[in-house]
Amino acid sequence: KFAPRPVNARQLYLSRKPGNDTLSWYPAFARVSASGNFAFTTGPWIYTSNAGDTTRTLFGEYVTVWHRVADNSWRALLDCGPAHPEPSAKVPALDETGPVASVAAKAAVTDGDIVAQRLMQADTDYGALAVKEDARAAYIQFAAPDLRWIRMNVQPRVGKAAVLAGVAAEPASVHWVAQ
């Protein structure tokens, strides 16, 4: 990091005061594969930047692709969220008893309801950890080794190590807020 000369980026970001920027999101749609080993969640996100007297709000849609691993926990394989214009209406939140549970129930697994519940719990825990600590902590715990990270105005990063390096470069003033 250059500020304007080379400095230790970690120390620089840790020394910053918390900002007022927020990123909030919630799942509105999800599906589980017939095998019960892959799934995705998607929904709207809102980013609000507060700089002095100016507030700027951006809108978008996130997609997280999940893979169920040997211990039956879920790990993120892909996490992306391109921006789009402000929606004309609020997108309804996911009904956890709806399509996710019904698709998972048909899956070739012992108990489809448990698979769906574990996926929704992984999504909830992923967001909660990002809110409680930061994005890096959430990726450390939930990212698959081959996670693909796609963001606006940044080249995609492939692999957990590259994603963690990219997240470390994000401003510390951005706080995740799960809804």
Side-chain angles (χ1 to χ4, degrees), residues 64-77 79 118-147 159-161 163-164 167 176:
T64 304
V65 176
W66 298 90
H67 177 238
R68 193 166 59 135
V69 295
D71 68 0
N72 285 325
S73 63
W74 291 93
R75 295 290 178 254
L77 286 173
D79 185 35
R118 286 182 180 159
L119 170 62
M120 294 315 301
Q121 189 62 53
D123 192 73
T124 299
D125 293 348
Y126 178 68
L129 185 56
V131 170
K132 181 181 177 187
E133 294 186 32
D134 57 22
R136 182 175 173 76
Y139 286 128
I140 286 170
Q141 181 165 338
F142 289 97
D146 51 354
L147 172 68
K160 188 173 183 175
V163 170
L164 292 173
V167 171
W176 289 25

XYZ file of all heavy atoms in Angstrom, residues 64-77 79 118-147 159-161 163-164 167 176:
413
model
N -24.012 -16.578 -4.231
C -23.009 -17.411 -3.580
C -23.307 -18.855 -3.953
O -24.432 -19.321 -3.762
C -23.027 -17.243 -2.050
O -22.852 -15.861 -1.731
C -21.925 -18.057 -1.398
N -22.325 -19.532 -4.532
C -22.448 -20.945 -4.867
C -21.759 -21.728 -3.754
O -20.638 -21.408 -3.367
C -21.799 -21.261 -6.233
C -21.857 -22.757 -6.522
C -22.484 -20.468 -7.341
N -22.466 -22.740 -3.253
C -22.000 -23.518 -2.106
C -21.714 -24.960 -2.504
O -22.391 -25.519 -3.366
C -23.081 -23.522 -1.018
C -23.405 -22.176 -0.483
C -24.363 -21.310 -0.947
C -22.789 -21.530 0.618
N -24.366 -20.169 -0.194
C -23.410 -20.271 0.780
C -21.768 -21.882 1.494
C -23.048 -19.377 1.770
C -21.401 -20.986 2.490
C -22.045 -19.756 2.620
N -20.733 -25.575 -1.836
C -20.401 -26.984 -2.021
C -20.390 -27.651 -0.643
O -19.763 -27.140 0.280
C -19.020 -27.104 -2.682
C -18.560 -28.509 -2.838
N -17.384 -28.967 -2.300
C -19.105 -29.570 -3.469
C -17.225 -30.245 -2.598
N -18.256 -30.626 -3.294
N -21.088 -28.769 -0.541
C -21.100 -29.498 0.723
C -19.888 -30.412 0.755
O -19.665 -31.205 -0.159
C -22.392 -30.302 0.880
C -22.588 -30.814 2.292
C -23.986 -31.296 2.504
N -24.287 -32.361 1.560
C -24.895 -33.486 1.872
N -25.290 -33.703 3.098
N -25.134 -34.394 0.961
N -19.094 -30.313 1.816
C -17.842 -31.073 1.916
C -18.029 -32.295 2.799
O -19.117 -32.537 3.319
C -16.689 -30.160 2.408
C -16.392 -29.074 1.386
C -16.995 -29.553 3.754
N -16.951 -33.057 2.969
C -17.006 -34.360 3.637
C -17.660 -34.331 5.018
O -18.350 -35.266 5.400
C -15.608 -34.965 3.731
N -17.459 -33.256 5.787
C -18.045 -33.209 7.134
C -19.474 -32.650 7.128
O -20.036 -32.339 8.165
C -17.158 -32.402 8.086
C -17.110 -30.917 7.750
O -17.760 -30.472 6.762
O -16.428 -30.178 8.477
N -20.069 -32.538 5.927
C -21.442 -32.054 5.712
C -21.624 -30.559 5.955
O -22.744 -30.072 5.966
C -22.471 -32.848 6.530
C -22.709 -34.217 5.935
O -22.685 -34.381 4.715
N -22.907 -35.202 6.789
N -20.543 -29.810 6.132
C -20.658 -28.356 6.222
C -20.604 -27.782 4.808
O -20.191 -28.452 3.858
C -19.538 -27.776 7.084
O -18.285 -28.017 6.492
N -21.047 -26.554 4.653
C -21.078 -25.894 3.352
C -19.921 -24.927 3.236
O -19.605 -24.215 4.188
C -22.400 -25.143 3.182
C -23.578 -26.049 3.039
C -24.393 -26.485 4.037
C -24.063 -26.631 1.834
N -25.369 -27.307 3.529
C -25.187 -27.414 2.159
C -23.667 -26.576 0.498
C -25.916 -28.118 1.210
C -24.396 -27.278 -0.450
C -25.508 -28.047 -0.089
N -19.287 -24.874 2.057
C -18.187 -23.958 1.768
C -18.518 -23.190 0.485
O -19.010 -23.773 -0.485
C -16.859 -24.709 1.572
C -16.387 -25.417 2.820
C -15.927 -24.403 3.866
N -15.518 -25.029 5.106
C -16.240 -24.996 6.216
N -17.397 -24.387 6.254
N -15.793 -25.572 7.314
N -18.235 -21.899 0.495
C -18.503 -21.056 -0.668
C -17.512 -21.368 -1.782
O -16.309 -21.423 -1.558
C -18.409 -19.587 -0.285
N -18.021 -21.574 -3.003
C -17.185 -21.784 -4.178
C -17.118 -20.521 -5.035
O -16.133 -20.292 -5.711
C -17.756 -22.910 -5.048
C -17.597 -24.322 -4.542
C -18.368 -25.290 -5.437
C -16.135 -24.709 -4.509
N -18.549 -16.299 -5.002
C -19.272 -15.219 -4.336
C -19.104 -13.980 -5.203
O -17.996 -13.501 -5.386
C -18.705 -14.988 -2.934
C -19.498 -13.956 -2.148
O -20.730 -13.908 -2.313
O -18.873 -13.205 -1.377
N -29.025 -26.989 6.844
C -27.582 -26.747 6.976
C -27.108 -25.683 5.994
O -26.243 -24.872 6.321
C -26.804 -28.041 6.787
C -26.920 -28.967 7.982
C -26.100 -30.212 7.776
N -26.212 -31.087 8.939
C -25.958 -32.382 8.901
N -25.570 -32.959 7.775
N -26.088 -33.111 9.983
N -27.660 -25.693 4.784
C -27.299 -24.660 3.812
C -27.718 -23.287 4.313
O -26.932 -22.342 4.308
C -27.942 -24.932 2.448
C -27.809 -23.788 1.437
C -26.335 -23.515 1.126
C -28.591 -24.098 0.187
N -28.945 -23.166 4.766
C -29.425 -21.865 5.242
C -28.645 -21.435 6.483
O -28.351 -20.255 6.657
C -30.926 -21.909 5.529
C -31.765 -22.119 4.260
S -31.256 -21.074 2.858
C -31.451 -19.455 3.534
N -28.268 -22.395 7.336
C -27.467 -22.061 8.515
C -26.080 -21.591 8.092
O -25.537 -20.640 8.661
C -27.362 -23.253 9.466
C -26.731 -22.890 10.796
C -27.556 -21.860 11.556
O -28.745 -22.041 11.770
N -26.940 -20.750 11.944
N -25.495 -22.242 7.075
C -24.183 -21.814 6.576
C -24.261 -20.389 6.035
O -23.392 -19.561 6.319
C -23.682 -22.769 5.490
N -25.322 -20.079 5.275
C -25.483 -18.725 4.730
C -25.633 -17.713 5.861
O -25.019 -16.647 5.834
C -26.690 -18.676 3.787
C -26.723 -17.406 2.976
O -25.906 -17.261 2.048
O -27.565 -16.529 3.287
N -26.422 -18.060 6.870
C -26.624 -17.173 8.019
C -25.324 -16.988 8.799
O -24.953 -15.862 9.144
C -27.713 -17.752 8.948
O -28.932 -17.841 8.202
C -27.925 -16.884 10.177
N -24.619 -18.087 9.066
C -23.364 -18.010 9.823
C -22.293 -17.235 9.059
O -21.521 -16.481 9.655
C -22.853 -19.411 10.152
C -23.753 -20.160 11.128
O -24.650 -19.532 11.739
O -23.569 -21.385 11.256
N -22.265 -17.422 7.749
C -21.317 -16.719 6.870
C -21.520 -15.204 7.011
O -20.586 -14.458 7.265
C -21.585 -17.193 5.445
C -20.790 -16.591 4.332
C -19.435 -16.832 4.197
C -21.424 -15.843 3.339
C -18.719 -16.337 3.125
C -20.714 -15.343 2.266
C -19.361 -15.591 2.159
O -18.667 -15.101 1.095
N -22.761 -14.765 6.889
C -23.070 -13.344 7.036
C -22.819 -12.838 8.442
O -22.272 -11.750 8.633
N -23.181 -13.624 9.432
C -23.002 -13.198 10.820
C -21.526 -13.018 11.159
O -21.157 -12.068 11.857
C -23.648 -14.215 11.771
N -20.680 -13.920 10.667
C -19.250 -13.797 10.927
C -18.676 -12.563 10.229
O -17.849 -11.847 10.799
C -18.506 -15.059 10.489
C -17.017 -15.119 10.820
C -16.771 -14.940 12.322
C -16.431 -16.438 10.331
N -19.136 -12.286 9.020
C -18.682 -11.087 8.303
C -19.092 -9.826 9.053
O -18.331 -8.861 9.119
C -19.243 -11.073 6.884
N -20.286 -9.835 9.627
C -20.759 -8.679 10.392
C -19.986 -8.556 11.700
O -19.519 -7.480 12.061
C -22.278 -8.792 10.677
C -22.733 -7.746 11.672
C -23.062 -8.659 9.372
N -19.833 -9.679 12.418
C -19.176 -9.660 13.729
C -17.699 -9.307 13.618
O -17.195 -8.502 14.397
C -19.323 -11.021 14.399
C -18.695 -11.086 15.775
C -18.857 -12.460 16.389
C -18.155 -12.533 17.727
N -18.154 -13.874 18.263
N -17.009 -9.911 12.641
C -15.563 -9.677 12.498
C -15.298 -8.875 11.224
O -15.184 -7.669 11.269
C -14.814 -10.999 12.516
C -14.927 -11.675 13.880
C -14.072 -12.920 13.989
O -13.003 -12.968 13.353
O -14.488 -13.841 14.707
N -15.229 -9.557 10.086
C -15.035 -8.892 8.805
C -15.127 -9.935 7.698
O -15.285 -11.124 7.952
C -13.707 -8.135 8.735
C -12.482 -9.010 8.986
O -12.569 -10.247 8.812
O -11.441 -8.445 9.348
N -15.040 -9.459 6.448
C -15.146 -10.354 5.300
C -14.049 -11.415 5.326
O -14.287 -12.581 5.014
C -15.078 -9.551 4.010
N -12.850 -11.024 5.702
C -11.725 -11.957 5.724
C -12.024 -13.141 6.647
O -11.793 -14.303 6.286
C -10.451 -11.232 6.146
C -9.227 -12.109 6.151
C -7.957 -11.295 6.463
N -6.815 -12.139 6.622
C -6.153 -12.726 5.635
N -6.546 -12.547 4.393
N -5.116 -13.487 5.874
N -12.532 -12.873 7.828
C -12.854 -13.946 8.773
C -13.901 -14.890 8.185
O -13.801 -16.111 8.338
C -13.342 -13.361 10.096
N -14.899 -14.324 7.509
C -15.940 -15.154 6.892
C -15.355 -16.033 5.794
O -15.684 -17.224 5.689
C -17.053 -14.277 6.340
N -14.466 -15.465 4.981
C -13.850 -16.257 3.921
C -12.899 -17.307 4.487
O -12.815 -18.420 3.960
C -13.108 -15.373 2.924
C -14.036 -14.615 2.003
C -13.912 -13.249 1.846
C -15.027 -15.266 1.283
C -14.752 -12.539 1.006
C -15.878 -14.576 0.440
C -15.728 -13.216 0.304
O -16.562 -12.530 -0.528
N -12.181 -16.996 5.537
C -11.283 -17.985 6.146
C -12.085 -19.210 6.570
O -11.685 -20.342 6.332
C -10.516 -17.376 7.340
C -9.431 -16.422 6.824
C -9.903 -18.469 8.216
C -8.769 -15.589 7.907
N -13.232 -18.992 7.182
C -14.012 -20.121 7.678
C -14.827 -20.806 6.591
O -14.969 -22.022 6.600
C -14.952 -19.671 8.803
C -15.764 -20.837 9.352
C -16.418 -20.529 10.661
O -15.989 -19.643 11.382
N -17.451 -21.275 10.979
N -15.385 -20.036 5.629
C -16.371 -20.617 4.719
C -15.932 -20.785 3.274
O -16.632 -21.429 2.499
C -17.659 -19.789 4.763
C -18.414 -19.941 6.041
C -18.270 -19.017 7.057
C -19.249 -21.021 6.251
C -18.957 -19.158 8.258
C -19.935 -21.175 7.438
C -19.789 -20.245 8.446
N -14.806 -20.230 2.876
C -14.403 -20.320 1.474
C -13.846 -21.688 1.130
O -13.071 -22.262 1.900
C -13.375 -19.245 1.149
N -14.225 -22.178 -0.029
C -13.613 -23.388 -0.575
C -12.228 -23.020 -1.107
O -11.986 -21.853 -1.432
C -14.487 -23.946 -1.697
N -11.328 -23.983 -1.210
C -9.980 -23.671 -1.710
C -9.987 -23.040 -3.101
O -9.113 -22.251 -3.428
C -9.281 -25.033 -1.743
C -10.043 -25.880 -0.776
C -11.467 -25.376 -0.816
N -11.000 -23.356 -3.919
C -11.047 -22.827 -5.276
C -12.141 -21.768 -5.468
O -12.698 -21.617 -6.544
C -11.213 -23.960 -6.286
C -12.370 -24.904 -5.950
O -12.982 -24.758 -4.868
O -12.660 -25.791 -6.763
N -12.413 -21.010 -4.416
C -13.388 -19.919 -4.483
C -13.038 -18.966 -5.618
O -11.879 -18.631 -5.835
C -13.395 -19.144 -3.151
C -14.227 -17.847 -3.121
C -15.714 -18.152 -3.237
C -13.941 -17.082 -1.848
N -9.105 -18.717 -6.094
C -8.408 -19.411 -5.020
C -8.537 -18.658 -3.708
O -8.584 -17.432 -3.674
N -8.641 -19.408 -2.646
C -8.840 -18.836 -1.321
C -7.740 -17.848 -0.949
O -8.017 -16.767 -0.429
C -8.934 -19.961 -0.284
C -9.329 -19.510 1.094
C -9.548 -20.721 2.000
C -10.027 -20.334 3.374
N -10.339 -21.520 4.192
N -6.483 -18.190 -1.233
C -5.369 -17.300 -0.875
C -5.471 -15.965 -1.609
O -5.280 -14.902 -1.007
C -4.031 -17.971 -1.181
N -8.205 -14.608 -2.810
C -9.376 -13.893 -2.286
C -9.019 -13.233 -0.954
O -9.324 -12.062 -0.728
C -10.577 -14.846 -2.123
C -11.714 -14.170 -1.366
C -11.050 -15.331 -3.487
N -8.359 -13.967 -0.073
C -7.982 -13.396 1.219
C -7.041 -12.212 1.047
O -7.160 -11.212 1.759
C -7.359 -14.463 2.116
C -8.322 -15.561 2.581
C -7.570 -16.648 3.322
C -9.440 -14.986 3.419
N -9.308 -9.332 -0.106
C -10.148 -8.831 0.979
C -9.319 -8.014 1.948
O -9.774 -6.993 2.471
C -10.865 -9.997 1.702
C -11.571 -9.524 2.954
C -11.868 -10.643 0.767
N -20.014 -5.069 6.959
C -21.075 -5.896 6.432
C -22.212 -5.901 7.431
O -22.009 -5.993 8.633
C -20.587 -7.310 6.230
C -19.619 -7.510 5.103
C -18.785 -6.569 4.563
C -19.379 -8.704 4.403
N -18.050 -7.121 3.571
C -18.384 -8.439 3.452
C -19.903 -9.989 4.486
C -17.916 -9.403 2.582
C -19.420 -10.955 3.623
C -18.446 -10.661 2.676
